[in-house]
Amino acid sequence: MAVVELTTRDLEDIRTARELLATGEAQRLREASNLTRAEVAAFAESSIDAVALWESGQRCPRTDPALRLGRLYRRLSAEVTTS
């Protein structure tokens, strides 16, 4: 099993994704950006059902999808706040 080194920014993105999902803010960001769950699932390399479970607070994404989601949510937050 390969060991992957995460940067501070990676860890912040993971934390942010999990916080946004836990508070419902991730779904608000997705909807404000006119993205579908399918598009988020493709970005996270996961399933639509997984995204639905994450957004409902029933599950928490593992590290890899959380990292990808954190990067996505960071970009979406910047776009929503600048528009």
Side-chain angles (χ1 to χ4, degrees):
M1 185 159 138
V3 175
V4 176
E5 290 190 31
L6 298 173
T7 66
T8 301
R9 177 162 231 168
D10 291 342
L11 295 173
E12 289 172 5
D13 285 343
I14 292 166
R15 180 186 50 80
T16 298
R18 289 178 175 162
E19 285 178 2
L20 291 174
L21 287 163
T23 62
E25 190 66 13
Q27 182 174 348
R28 187 198 68 76
L29 267 175
R30 176 180 60 77
E31 291 170 349
S33 302
N34 295 314
L35 292 175
T36 65
R37 283 185 174 152
E39 291 168 320
V40 172
F43 190 87
E45 298 179 19
S46 194
S47 70
I48 298 168
D49 290 338
V51 174
L53 290 170
W54 299 335
E55 287 185 348
S56 69
Q58 295 178 38
R59 295 278 190 273
C60 184
R62 294 182 181 261
T63 303
D64 289 343
L67 177 58
R68 289 190 279 284
L69 289 172
R71 291 173 179 159
L72 173 65
Y73 297 145
R74 181 169 20 98
R75 283 195 301 232
L76 295 180
S77 290
E79 290 174 12
V80 169
T81 57
T82 58
S83 55

